[in-house]
Amino acid sequence: MFSKPGLHPTDIDIYLAMSLMETDLHKIIHSTQELSEQHNQYFLYQILRGLKYLHSVGIVHRDLKPANLFINGDCLLKIGDFGMARSVAQCKPGTSHNPLTQYVMTRWYRAPELLFTFPTYDTKIDIWSAGCIFAELIMRRQIFPAKDSPSQIKMIVYYLGTPTEDVMNLVRESEIKKVIYDCGDKKGLPWSTILPKASPKALDLVSKVWIR
């Protein structure tokens, strides 16, 4: 932090020195680079460690996606782009002077709490995004690449099944309820069908990440 002589104390320049990260996870996933299960495990491990730190101090990232995960030549990963991050307290109704929009996160990584317009949400939305990223590492493509929010909801219901009545009671908008009910009674697909290239351990982990 530096200031020029004679200037007001607020007229200062701030310099940030950060580690050089050669690429991001999106570019790696959608490249011809071969990724082993060990790569996927290591990337997910670092994502979850980073989220554990953020969540332990009450921060929700709210925009976790491969393009915001920076990688260097040693496969070290750093979470970046905190422009949408908020405190957990701000994600509760009536605790912020600026009401939080539900339209955060790139749609393909947006958790049901946001898509279904729940009145409140918390750190679990970042865990959902981490699950989407892990699935994308395995599949080498996005798992829920819908063109709009209704299509996103339909895709999630088709893959994971119809939400329970307790979940439906939290949905505030009638239009969203109609989209869900129009899907019919879905039981959800077996995880081995959703991620046919995944190992048994990977399937077990994803099934836990996406428990709603």
Side-chain angles (χ1 to χ4, degrees), residues 43 103 115 130-131 161 179 189 199:
F43 288 142
Y103 291 96
L115 290 165
V179 171
L189 300 176
S199 68

Side-chain angles (χ1 to χ4, degrees), residues 78-114:
K78 292 181 182 290
I79 299 174
D81 197 345
F82 286 81
M84 296 299 294
R86 297 292 186 275
S87 70
V88 173
Q90 288 178 290
C91 299
K92 306 294 182 184
T95 56
S96 175
H97 295 296
N98 299 311
L100 295 176
T101 175
Q102 298 288 327
Y103 291 96
V104 297
M105 295 190 168
T106 301
R107 183 186 310 111
W108 299 341
Y109 309 93
R110 198 177 294 164
E113 292 92 325
L114 302 171

Side-chain angles (χ1 to χ4, degrees), residues 136-208:
E136 191 170 334
L137 278 164
I138 295 170
M139 302 170 71
R140 305 300 290 264
R141 64 174 179 81
Q142 294 86 3
I143 188 169
F144 301 126
K147 62 181 181 179
D148 53 35
S149 291
S151 300
Q152 190 81 22
I153 292 169
K154 291 177 182 178
M155 189 174 292
I156 290 173
V157 171
Y158 175 76
Y159 275 27
L160 304 185
T162 302
T164 64
E165 197 61 33
D166 289 342
V167 171
M168 292 302 298
N169 289 336
L170 294 173
V171 180
R172 295 182 295 177
E173 297 185 12
S174 58
E175 294 84 356
I176 301 298
K177 288 187 175 183
K178 185 178 185 305
V179 171
I180 297 172
Y181 286 135
D182 285 348
C183 294
D185 186 18
K186 299 295 182 183
K187 301 300 181 184
L189 300 176
W191 289 108
S192 57
T193 301
I194 298 173
L195 298 172
K197 296 181 180 180
S199 68
K201 288 184 177 180
L203 292 175
D204 179 65
L205 186 147
V206 170
S207 68
K208 292 180 172 66

Side-chain angles (χ1 to χ4, degrees), residues 21-32:
M21 308 299 283
E22 286 87 349
T23 187
D24 60 60
L25 194 57
H26 174 83
K27 293 176 181 176
I28 291 176
I29 291 174
H30 300 281
S31 71
T32 57

